[in-house]
Amino acid sequence: MRIRVRLFARYREAIGRERLDLELPEGDTVESAWSAVVASHPQLTPYRPFTLFAVGQDYVLPDHRLRSGDELCLFPPVSGGAGDDIYEVVQRPLSADALAAAVDDPGAVGIALFSGVVRNETGGRPVKFLEYEAYAPMAEAKMREIGGDVRQRWPSVKRVAMQHRIGRLEIGESSVLIAVSAAHRQEAFEACKYAIDTLKKIVPVWKKEHFEDGEVWVGLQGG
């Protein structure tokens, strides 16, 4: 099958072309198309962890199956300044100080930070610990989408960072951190609130609450 690949911004400049035509086996994936592109343009290889993919008007995941005639778009991180933004699903402990430092900007009047922590009870039942599970590629793509919405809604935002931890978390540990710096403090507050509220609705992360007398899954982000 034949597909067309469009490249934008730094990707276009890196290879000196805006469009490429690829011949791929029927039913190949976006990831296969990326591999075919970097096989002939290896200078793009370092950008893979940050690349966003789209077919038509929608973002797609690397395992999305392509059809003949599709136009696959390769995007670097979007929205001015977003190259400094952070969208991660991680297994390590989260650091509020580190994330606040990551969004610090000379043009910002302040930083708003939200930390979601593991509580010791739910509905009167003592909680022993939590487990979080995520579909990480889609979760990170959705966090980037939220970051793009934040920048459109609040133009004074300078940087955005969102991290969600997975695995076992003990009482008092942070499961999610969101940090937003902006030129106006009200926009920083509003953007941070919007980000966590939206994350809890659309980002594919689930938690299992462990009690003394049982366990229960909660998701997407209930609780």
Side-chain angles (χ1 to χ4, degrees):
M1 66 178 177
R2 177 179 289 268
I3 69 163
R4 170 157 289 188
V5 178
R6 290 191 64 190
L7 301 100
F8 295 82
R10 71 183 71 171
Y11 295 1
R12 182 189 66 250
E13 293 179 351
I15 72 168
R17 297 180 62 182
E18 182 179 348
R19 291 179 173 84
L20 299 170
D21 290 323
L22 293 181
E23 290 286 345
L24 298 172
E26 196 71 32
D28 252 11
T29 64
V30 167
E31 192 67 57
S32 299
W34 170 265
S35 296
V37 171
V38 298
S40 55
H41 301 282
Q43 62 270 42
L44 296 179
T45 301
Y47 298 138
R48 176 61 187 88
F50 315 106
T51 299
L52 304 177
F53 303 106
V55 174
Q57 303 300 312
D58 295 316
Y59 286 117
V60 296
L61 297 174
D63 62 0
H64 176 83
R65 293 196 177 277
L66 297 165
R67 296 181 296 180
S68 183
D70 277 348
E71 183 175 73
L72 172 65
C73 298
L74 308 183
F75 298 143
V78 297
S79 299
D84 296 321
D85 290 351
I86 296 170
Y87 305 102
E88 293 181 323
V89 173
V90 301
Q91 290 188 292
R92 65 182 184 274
L94 303 181
S95 168
D97 289 343
L99 206 66
V103 300
D104 194 15
D105 186 276
V109 73
I111 295 168
L113 187 140
F114 172 83
S115 175
V117 298
V118 177
R119 61 192 175 193
N120 64 2
E121 65 85 25
T122 297
R125 300 174 69 188
V127 174
K128 294 169 59 181
F129 63 92
L130 298 185
E131 284 183 86
Y132 280 90
E133 181 178 320
Y135 182 25
M138 185 174 178
E140 292 178 350
K142 287 298 183 182
M143 287 193 282
R144 289 189 190 96
E145 183 179 307
I146 294 168
D149 289 344
V150 162
R151 289 181 171 279
Q152 286 188 338
R153 290 168 178 256
W154 294 280
S156 84
V157 165
K158 299 300 181 182
R159 294 182 184 174
V160 181
M162 306 174 69
Q163 292 178 322
H164 208 300
R165 186 178 170 189
I166 57 174
R168 174 171 170 153
L169 278 75
E170 306 297 334
I171 305 302
E173 290 191 300
S174 291
S175 60
V176 58
L177 289 177
I178 296 176
V180 179
S181 61
H184 304 292
R185 64 176 180 271
Q186 187 64 31
E187 293 202 356
F189 289 134
E190 292 174 357
C192 192
K193 182 180 186 302
Y194 171 84
I196 185 59
D197 288 348
T198 308
L199 182 150
K200 289 169 72 68
K201 294 176 182 176
I202 71 169
V203 175
V205 178
W206 302 268
K207 71 178 178 183
K208 180 187 280 188
E209 295 181 315
H210 290 259
F211 306 99
E212 292 290 347
D213 59 350
E215 58 193 39
V216 62
W217 281 103
V218 182
L220 290 168
Q221 284 288 332

